[in-house]
Amino acid sequence: NKEILMIQKWLNQHNELYTSATRHPFTLSIRDGSVDLSAFKRWLGQDYIFVRAFVPFVASLLLKAWKESDDDSDIEVILGGIAALNDEVSWFKREASKWSVPLSATVPQKTNLEYCRFLESLMSPEVDYTVAVTAFWAIEAVYQESYAHCLSDGSKTPEELKETCQRWGNDGFGQYCHTLQNIANRRLEKSSEDIISKAEATVIRVLEYEVEFWNMSRGET
Ligand code: HMH
């Protein structure tokens, strides 16, 4: 189907899964103000570990874009993403110290290790640029949608969590995610059935991991 863009089509087809990732009980509890702060701290410590693994993934994406992309501006968009991650790592350290979360003593949970291993598998040169950039869009989009919702009309997000929500929920980050979606759609339009189905399976895996990642905030394991 060429009339409707691939990502939109997948979001419709996998709407239930996408909604479980972007309207998770954890982020909904931030939005309604009932959030358990120990859950927030667990998320913060685990996400710092994830972001550390996310940096080399995005670096590997930059390399794929340089080798395979048909559009020079892709490199600039991804480089902007790396610059934002540099800032994000510093922010995590500041935020962790604010909440007394000892990052160096934080042990990665099983879900986190699995998600990081999945990211590592996407860093392989065997993985096509189109598949990797589509995964990148999905990873960023879940946070953008989740945290923007915590700031939208009617939200009761506690003052001390607003900065976190702003980090991913701000309009600039929304625009950036939209640009990534456009890149992914442009590539998918030109891709073989094989690449398209690999990219779709990768998006589904990302959404599943994102749900499990939010689940870790419950601290049951
Ligand atoms: C688990 N997914 C997870 N952590 C993040 N920081 C993002 C996505 C977005 O950057």
Side-chain angles (χ1 to χ4, degrees):
N1 189 343
K2 294 283 175 188
E3 282 117 59
I4 173 158
L5 297 169
M6 202 55 72
I7 303 262
Q8 201 49 59
K9 185 176 134 188
W10 292 342
L11 291 182
N12 293 335
Q13 278 168 350
H14 307 292
N15 183 259
E16 202 178 323
L17 178 58
Y18 186 68
T19 304
S20 1
T22 56
R23 296 289 185 267
H24 189 274
F26 171 66
T27 54
L28 292 177
S29 78
I30 294 177
R31 188 182 199 275
D32 71 18
S34 69
V35 61
D36 169 10
L37 290 176
S38 65
F40 176 76
K41 291 196 212 179
R42 274 191 292 272
W43 166 78
L44 190 71
Q46 292 301 314
D47 212 43
Y48 173 74
I49 295 170
F50 176 83
V51 166
R52 297 213 58 110
F54 195 42
V55 171
F57 164 73
V58 186
S60 77
L61 184 65
L62 188 77
L63 182 61
K64 289 186 210 295
W66 176 65
K67 290 191 175 180
E68 296 176 49
S69 183
D70 49 318
D71 186 335
D72 287 346
S73 66
D74 289 13
I75 302 250
E76 290 155 32
V77 174
I78 297 162
L79 184 58
I82 294 177
L85 281 169
N86 182 37
D87 195 60
E88 199 165 301
V89 168
S90 310
W91 176 83
F92 268 103
K93 289 181 184 169
R94 266 185 283 120
E95 195 67 11
S97 110
K98 192 165 113 186
W99 291 96
S100 307
V101 173
L103 291 179
S104 57
T106 302
V107 178
Q109 298 295 298
K110 183 167 168 278
T111 293
N112 202 356
L113 288 172
E114 284 170 5
Y115 198 2
C116 291
R117 219 174 292 130
F118 174 70
L119 279 184
E120 197 174 347
S121 73
L122 295 174
M123 297 181 212
S124 157
E126 320 268 281
V127 174
D128 193 89
Y129 171 58
T130 303
V131 173
V133 78
T134 305
F136 185 43
W137 161 77
I139 294 166
E140 298 287 47
V142 168
Y143 266 45
Q144 198 277 326
E145 278 248 5
S146 299
Y147 279 124
H149 189 55
C150 297
L151 299 169
S152 65
D153 276 357
S155 67
K156 300 189 192 82
T157 297
E159 206 51 52
E160 66 270 31
L161 299 185
K162 280 192 179 157
E163 192 185 309
T164 299
C165 301
Q166 276 294 341
R167 179 133 220 112
W168 291 277
N170 75 77
D171 292 341
F173 195 75
Q175 190 49 56
Y176 165 69
C177 290
H178 197 73
T179 305
L180 293 179
Q181 184 174 324
N182 290 341
I183 293 173
N185 275 325
R186 187 196 81 228
R187 295 286 311 189
L188 288 162
E189 266 178 57
K190 298 172 189 164
S191 294
S192 65
E193 288 297 332
D194 175 56
I195 295 292
I196 292 172
S197 68
K198 278 180 179 152
E200 182 177 13
T202 305
V203 167
I204 292 169
R205 290 304 285 136
V206 165
L207 296 176
E208 288 168 346
Y209 276 124
E210 289 290 337
V211 172
E212 287 184 53
F213 203 94
W214 295 130
N215 287 345
M216 274 192 298
S217 67
R218 291 182 190 144
E220 282 153 1
T221 47

